[in-house]
PDB file of all heavy atoms in Angstrom:
ATOM      1  N   ILE I1386    -114.197 -54.852  21.033  1.00 96.00           N
ATOM      2  CA  ILE I1386    -113.237 -55.756  20.387  1.00 96.00           C
ATOM      3  C   ILE I1386    -113.958 -56.542  19.303  1.00 96.00           C
ATOM      4  O   ILE I1386    -115.041 -57.093  19.538  1.00 96.00           O
ATOM      5  CB  ILE I1386    -112.604 -56.701  21.421  1.00 96.00           C
ATOM      6  CG1 ILE I1386    -111.741 -55.906  22.404  1.00 96.00           C
ATOM      7  CG2 ILE I1386    -111.777 -57.775  20.728  1.00 96.00           C
ATOM      8  CD1 ILE I1386    -111.155 -56.735  23.522  1.00 96.00           C
ATOM      9  N   GLN I1387    -113.358 -56.581  18.122  1.00 96.00           N
ATOM     10  CA  GLN I1387    -113.961 -57.274  16.989  1.00 96.00           C
ATOM     11  C   GLN I1387    -113.055 -58.387  16.488  1.00 96.00           C
ATOM     12  O   GLN I1387    -111.821 -58.234  16.461  1.00 96.00           O
ATOM     13  CB  GLN I1387    -114.255 -56.284  15.857  1.00 96.00           C
ATOM     14  CG  GLN I1387    -115.321 -55.246  16.218  1.00 96.00           C
ATOM     15  CD  GLN I1387    -115.544 -54.249  15.107  1.00 96.00           C
ATOM     16  OE1 GLN I1387    -114.771 -53.310  14.941  1.00 96.00           O
ATOM     17  NE2 GLN I1387    -116.626 -54.443  14.341  1.00 96.00           N
ATOM     18  N   LYS I1388    -113.673 -59.484  16.090  1.00 97.00           N
ATOM     19  CA  LYS I1388    -112.950 -60.629  15.555  1.00 97.00           C
ATOM     20  C   LYS I1388    -113.067 -60.694  14.039  1.00 97.00           C
ATOM     21  O   LYS I1388    -114.041 -60.211  13.458  1.00 97.00           O
ATOM     22  CB  LYS I1388    -113.487 -61.932  16.155  1.00 97.00           C
ATOM     23  CG  LYS I1388    -113.117 -62.173  17.601  1.00 97.00           C
ATOM     24  CD  LYS I1388    -113.566 -63.562  18.041  1.00 97.00           C
ATOM     25  CE  LYS I1388    -113.095 -63.866  19.462  1.00 97.00           C
ATOM     26  NZ  LYS I1388    -113.490 -65.254  19.866  1.00 97.00           N
ATOM     27  N   VAL I1389    -112.070 -61.301  13.427  1.00 97.00           N
ATOM     28  CA  VAL I1389    -112.114 -61.571  11.991  1.00 97.00           C
ATOM     29  C   VAL I1389    -112.786 -62.929  11.798  1.00 97.00           C
ATOM     30  O   VAL I1389    -112.257 -63.962  12.222  1.00 97.00           O
ATOM     31  CB  VAL I1389    -110.693 -61.578  11.385  1.00 97.00           C
ATOM     32  CG1 VAL I1389    -110.755 -61.948   9.904  1.00 97.00           C
ATOM     33  CG2 VAL I1389    -110.022 -60.225  11.565  1.00 97.00           C
ATOM     34  N   LYS I1390    -113.944 -62.906  11.179  1.00 95.00           N
ATOM     35  CA  LYS I1390    -114.724 -64.130  11.020  1.00 95.00           C
ATOM     36  C   LYS I1390    -114.441 -64.804   9.682  1.00 95.00           C
ATOM     37  O   LYS I1390    -114.213 -66.022   9.616  1.00 95.00           O
ATOM     38  CB  LYS I1390    -116.215 -63.805  11.132  1.00 95.00           C
ATOM     39  CG  LYS I1390    -117.130 -65.015  11.062  1.00 95.00           C
ATOM     40  CD  LYS I1390    -118.590 -64.586  11.256  1.00 95.00           C
ATOM     41  CE  LYS I1390    -119.526 -65.790  11.247  1.00 95.00           C
ATOM     42  NZ  LYS I1390    -120.938 -65.378  11.433  1.00 95.00           N
ATOM     43  N   ASN I1391    -114.471 -64.030   8.607  1.00 95.00           N
ATOM     44  CA  ASN I1391    -114.280 -64.581   7.264  1.00 95.00           C
ATOM     45  C   ASN I1391    -113.060 -63.955   6.597  1.00 95.00           C
ATOM     46  O   ASN I1391    -112.811 -62.757   6.731  1.00 95.00           O
ATOM     47  CB  ASN I1391    -115.517 -64.305   6.393  1.00 95.00           C
ATOM     48  CG  ASN I1391    -116.796 -64.780   7.047  1.00 95.00           C
ATOM     49  OD1 ASN I1391    -116.889 -65.904   7.508  1.00 95.00           O
ATOM     50  ND2 ASN I1391    -117.800 -63.892   7.101  1.00 95.00           N
ATOM     51  N   ILE I1392    -112.300 -64.783   5.861  1.00 97.00           N
ATOM     52  CA  ILE I1392    -111.157 -64.282   5.088  1.00 97.00           C
ATOM     53  C   ILE I1392    -111.306 -64.776   3.653  1.00 97.00           C
ATOM     54  O   ILE I1392    -111.267 -65.985   3.389  1.00 97.00           O
ATOM     55  CB  ILE I1392    -109.815 -64.752   5.685  1.00 97.00           C
ATOM     56  CG1 ILE I1392    -109.677 -64.262   7.128  1.00 97.00           C
ATOM     57  CG2 ILE I1392    -108.643 -64.245   4.841  1.00 97.00           C
ATOM     58  CD1 ILE I1392    -108.422 -64.746   7.827  1.00 97.00           C
ATOM     59  N   ASN I1393    -111.537 -63.840   2.745  1.00 97.00           N
ATOM     60  CA  ASN I1393    -111.685 -64.167   1.322  1.00 97.00           C
ATOM     61  C   ASN I1393    -110.424 -63.742   0.573  1.00 97.00           C
ATOM     62  O   ASN I1393    -109.958 -62.610   0.720  1.00 97.00           O
ATOM     63  CB  ASN I1393    -112.902 -63.443   0.724  1.00 97.00           C
ATOM     64  CG  ASN I1393    -114.203 -63.874   1.375  1.00 97.00           C
ATOM     65  OD1 ASN I1393    -114.462 -65.064   1.539  1.00 97.00           O
ATOM     66  ND2 ASN I1393    -115.016 -62.903   1.776  1.00 97.00           N
ATOM     67  N   ILE I1394    -109.889 -64.649  -0.227  1.00 97.00           N
ATOM     68  CA  ILE I1394    -108.675 -64.366  -1.001  1.00 97.00           C
ATOM     69  C   ILE I1394    -109.019 -64.514  -2.478  1.00 97.00           C
ATOM     70  O   ILE I1394    -109.323 -65.623  -2.950  1.00 97.00           O
ATOM     71  CB  ILE I1394    -107.535 -65.326  -0.606  1.00 97.00           C
ATOM     72  CG1 ILE I1394    -107.268 -65.236   0.905  1.00 97.00           C
ATOM     73  CG2 ILE I1394    -106.269 -65.002  -1.391  1.00 97.00           C
ATOM     74  CD1 ILE I1394    -106.336 -66.301   1.428  1.00 97.00           C
ATOM     75  N   TYR I1395    -109.007 -63.413  -3.194  1.00 96.00           N
ATOM     76  CA  TYR I1395    -109.309 -63.407  -4.627  1.00 96.00           C
ATOM     77  C   TYR I1395    -107.986 -63.466  -5.390  1.00 96.00           C
ATOM     78  O   TYR I1395    -107.240 -62.488  -5.439  1.00 96.00           O
ATOM     79  CB  TYR I1395    -110.105 -62.155  -4.996  1.00 96.00           C
ATOM     80  CG  TYR I1395    -111.413 -62.051  -4.230  1.00 96.00           C
ATOM     81  CD1 TYR I1395    -111.474 -61.403  -2.998  1.00 96.00           C
ATOM     82  CD2 TYR I1395    -112.576 -62.618  -4.737  1.00 96.00           C
ATOM     83  CE1 TYR I1395    -112.660 -61.321  -2.287  1.00 96.00           C
ATOM     84  CE2 TYR I1395    -113.779 -62.539  -4.033  1.00 96.00           C
ATOM     85  CZ  TYR I1395    -113.811 -61.896  -2.811  1.00 96.00           C
ATOM     86  OH  TYR I1395    -115.004 -61.820  -2.106  1.00 96.00           O
ATOM     87  N   THR I1396    -107.670 -64.627  -5.941  1.00 94.00           N
ATOM     88  CA  THR I1396    -106.317 -64.889  -6.454  1.00 94.00           C
ATOM     89  C   THR I1396    -106.094 -64.434  -7.894  1.00 94.00           C
ATOM     90  O   THR I1396    -104.966 -64.501  -8.377  1.00 94.00           O
ATOM     91  CB  THR I1396    -106.007 -66.393  -6.364  1.00 94.00           C
ATOM     92  OG1 THR I1396    -106.974 -67.124  -7.149  1.00 94.00           O
ATOM     93  CG2 THR I1396    -106.067 -66.873  -4.922  1.00 94.00           C
ATOM     94  N   ASP I1397    -107.159 -64.011  -8.594  1.00 93.00           N
ATOM     95  CA  ASP I1397    -106.966 -63.515  -9.970  1.00 93.00           C
ATOM     96  C   ASP I1397    -107.785 -62.242 -10.190  1.00 93.00           C
ATOM     97  O   ASP I1397    -108.424 -62.061 -11.219  1.00 93.00           O
ATOM     98  CB  ASP I1397    -107.330 -64.586 -11.000  1.00 93.00           C
ATOM     99  CG  ASP I1397    -108.797 -65.006 -10.921  1.00 93.00           C
ATOM    100  OD1 ASP I1397    -109.470 -64.616  -9.938  1.00 93.00           O
ATOM    101  OD2 ASP I1397    -109.266 -65.707 -11.834  1.00 93.00           O
ATOM    102  N   TYR I1398    -107.724 -61.359  -9.207  1.00 93.00           N
ATOM    103  CA  TYR I1398    -108.495 -60.123  -9.278  1.00 93.00           C
ATOM    104  C   TYR I1398    -107.951 -59.208 -10.365  1.00 93.00           C
ATOM    105  O   TYR I1398    -106.745 -59.055 -10.560  1.00 93.00           O
ATOM    106  CB  TYR I1398    -108.473 -59.399  -7.936  1.00 93.00           C
ATOM    107  CG  TYR I1398    -109.140 -58.042  -7.981  1.00 93.00           C
ATOM    108  CD1 TYR I1398    -110.515 -57.928  -7.904  1.00 93.00           C
ATOM    109  CD2 TYR I1398    -108.379 -56.882  -8.130  1.00 93.00           C
ATOM    110  CE1 TYR I1398    -111.139 -56.686  -7.945  1.00 93.00           C
ATOM    111  CE2 TYR I1398    -108.985 -55.637  -8.173  1.00 93.00           C
ATOM    112  CZ  TYR I1398    -110.373 -55.545  -8.093  1.00 93.00           C
ATOM    113  OH  TYR I1398    -110.980 -54.310  -8.155  1.00 93.00           O
TER     114      TYR I1398
END
Side-chain angles (χ1 to χ4, degrees):
I1386 294 176
Q1387 294 177 281
K1388 287 186 175 182
V1389 176
K1390 183 177 182 180
N1391 307 311
I1392 301 177
N1393 297 312
I1394 304 170
Y1395 301 90
T1396 60
D1397 62 349
Y1398 174 81

